[in-house]
Amino acid sequence: GPATPPSHDPKTHDEELLRARQLRLGLLMMITLTAHNLPEGIAVAVGTMSSQRTGIVITTAIAMHNIPEGLAIAVPIYAATGSRRRAILMTLASGLSEPLGAALGVLVLRPFITRVVLENANCAVGGIMLAVSFFELWPESRAYHEGGATLTGFVAGWVIMVLTMAYGV
C-alpha cells in the first residue's frame, strides 16, 4: 500500500524540540561542570597539603555544592532521554573529574601550583559558569513559567554563598 506520510503533529514537534533543548542543556552542563570540577579537585588536594583543616573545609564546601551540580546534569538528561542510567552515568562521569583533578594536583602539577595559579583557574572557570547560568540556565528556567521558583533558587543560592564566605566554610 501507499507509504504513511510523516506526522506533522505540532505537539509531537514541540515535544521533540523540548527534548533536544534539554539534551543540549544537559550536555552543556556536563562539559562545563567537568571543566569546573578539575580545578576544584586541585583545590582540595592543595588545600589538604597545606593544612588538614583547610582540606576538610574545602572538601565539605565542595561536597555540599556538588549535589545541585549533579542535578543540573541529571535532570535535563533524564528529561530528554527518559533514561535514569544515562543521567546517572553522565553525572558520575562529570563528578569523577574532581578526584582526577586532585590526582593531577598531587602527582603532576604540585610543583607548579601556586595560590595565584589556582585562583586564576577558579576565576576562569567561575566566569564560564556565570555565562552558562545567565545564557543557558536562566532562559531555560523562564521557559517553564516558574519565575517564583527561579527567583527563590537564585536568592537561596546567593544567601548560601554569602554565609559560606562569611563563616569560612
Side-chain angles (χ1 to χ4, degrees):
T4 306
S7 172
H8 293 292
D9 180 11
K11 186 177 179 184
T12 302
H13 180 70
D14 289 347
E15 289 171 357
E16 289 173 6
L17 287 176
L18 177 61
R19 280 194 299 276
R21 258 192 13 242
Q22 290 168 332
L23 183 60
R24 179 186 173 281
L25 179 62
L27 292 171
L28 182 64
M29 292 307 301
M30 181 187 174
I31 292 165
T32 305
L33 289 170
T34 298
H36 169 80
N37 285 338
L38 277 167
E40 278 186 354
I42 295 169
V44 169
V46 170
T48 303
M49 286 186 287
S50 67
S51 120
Q52 188 175 13
R53 182 187 183 293
T54 301
I56 290 170
V57 169
I58 293 171
T59 300
T60 302
I62 288 174
M64 288 173 50
H65 89 268
N66 279 348
I67 294 167
E69 285 181 4
L71 289 172
I73 297 169
V75 169
I77 294 296
Y78 178 70
T81 66
S83 169
R84 288 182 182 165
R85 178 179 166 82
R86 188 168 182 191
I88 290 169
L89 288 175
M90 291 179 76
T91 303
L92 177 65
S94 178
L96 287 176
S97 65
E98 206 160 289
L100 176 64
L104 279 170
V106 171
L107 301 174
V108 178
L109 301 175
R110 187 175 184 181
F112 309 105
I113 300 283
T114 65
R115 179 173 294 278
V116 172
V117 168
L118 199 54
E119 287 172 356
N120 286 335
N122 284 327
C123 285
V125 171
I128 293 167
M129 292 301 300
L130 188 63
V132 168
S133 295
F134 278 108
F135 297 119
E136 298 293 334
L137 294 176
W138 188 270
E140 185 67 21
S141 71
R142 292 188 55 187
Y144 289 95
H145 306 290
E146 296 290 336
T150 300
L151 184 59
T152 301
F154 176 80
V155 170
W158 182 82
V159 167
I160 289 168
M161 289 306 298
V162 167
L163 292 173
T164 299
M165 291 171 59
Y167 294 104
V169 176

